Structures are given as structure tokens and as C-alpha cells.
Amino acid sequence: MSERQAARTRETAETEISVTIDLDGAGEATVDTGIGFFDHMLSAFARHGYLDLTVQCDGDLEIDEHHTVEDVGIVLGAAIDEALGERRAIRRFADRTVPMDESQATVVLDISGRPYFDAEGTFSQERVGEFTSVLATHFARSLAENAGLTLQVAFEGTNAHHEVEALFKALGIALDDATRLDDRRGGAPSTKGTL
């Protein structure tokens, strides 16, 4: 059984969230945020990142989906940070590009302990179902800031559904690559000796 697991919860006046994650899973996901497309994206993130994930969120969707998406990113990022622990023997760096028909997304990340986020691209449509497209990058920013990632993303295409989906898949694959254990390494992958 993996030791790189975490469970986190967060309750505010806007959302009530519980997340569990196993970084060494099989890509199984049980997700219920009340936003169908977001659930689909989180499931794709888990499936392609080979991590087991549960997300339960009760958010103020009567207002809009912003708080739900942002807060899930916060809690998931904190869970990733906890599951990584001291970050011993991880590969640390990764980059992946994923095509989705006419669209593609690239994710470059460093599990640095120094949160930084940058995004390049404009989504082709404002919404995908009940999901506001720009919230995909807002989710990624919230995740990076709370997981301690340096995360840079870029996307292009003509279909926002595919642009967002490529982004979530690339993020899952890159996270899997960067969190893999390297048996040549005993400690943290840094000349400082810690991350």
C-alpha cells in the first residue's frame, strides 16, 4: 500500500470539501462537485496521472461555479503537498504536451516548494456546459500555490472543451512524471538538500 496518501477537508461559508489522494494509485476517481464538466476533467486528471482521487464538494453553485473550482484546487493542492511529504527521491521536473484533435496543451512543472504559476493562451469559447473556461487556469493556479509547484501552462486550439481537457490531462501526466520515485536518489532532488 502506498504511503504517499493524504486526506484533506476545508469548510467555508462558500464550500465544504473533502479530498483524498494516493499518488501511487491506478487512476481511479470518484468525483462529485456539482459541475459535470469539472467532474469529468478531475477524473481525466486522475486517470492519466495514475493517481487515485476522491473529491466531494458542496459549493454555492446558486451563485456560480467560481468558489467550487477555486476551493477544490486549494484543497487538492494541499493534499498533494501532504502526500509528497519530504519529497525524497522524486524526479521533481516534468513537461508534457497533450493534443486533443485541433487543440493542444503543454504543462511544465517543478515540484520546487516555491509556488509560481503562468498561463499562455486564450480559450476559444467562454463556457463549456456550466463551466466557465477561464476557471481551468484558475484551478491550476490554486493547485500550484497550495502544492508548492512552479507550474507553467500553454494551450491553443479552436474548441474550449478540447483545450481544457488537454490541459487537465497534461497536468495529470506531468504530475505523475514529476512525482515518480527515482531509485538512484536517496534524498530530496536539490543541491540544497531539501525542497
Side-chain angles (χ1 to χ4, degrees), residues 140-159:
R141 177 185 300 277
S142 297
L143 182 83
E145 290 173 351
N146 289 275
L149 307 178
T150 297
L151 177 60
Q152 300 179 22
V153 304
F155 54 91
E156 62 183 6
T158 58
N159 181 304

Side-chain angles (χ1 to χ4, degrees), residues 24-97:
D24 301 308
E28 300 296 324
T30 303
V31 180
D32 183 7
T33 66
I35 307 166
F37 183 71
F38 188 41
D39 292 354
H40 179 49
M41 293 302 97
L42 290 170
S43 296
F45 166 77
R47 171 66 55 94
H48 294 280
Y50 287 96
L51 53 92
D52 290 343
L53 177 67
T54 64
V55 178
Q56 178 66 46
C57 178
D58 182 16
D60 57 357
L61 296 179
E62 71 279 4
I63 295 174
D64 71 10
E65 75 278 25
H66 179 98
H67 298 141
T68 292
V69 174
E70 177 180 54
D71 289 3
V72 167
I74 290 169
V75 179
L76 180 54
I80 290 168
D81 181 53
E82 181 181 328
L84 283 167
E86 295 180 0
R87 292 152 166 74
R88 292 183 183 278
I90 62 169
R91 291 185 177 174
R92 179 179 168 178
F93 302 98
D95 66 282
R96 284 297 183 124
T97 299

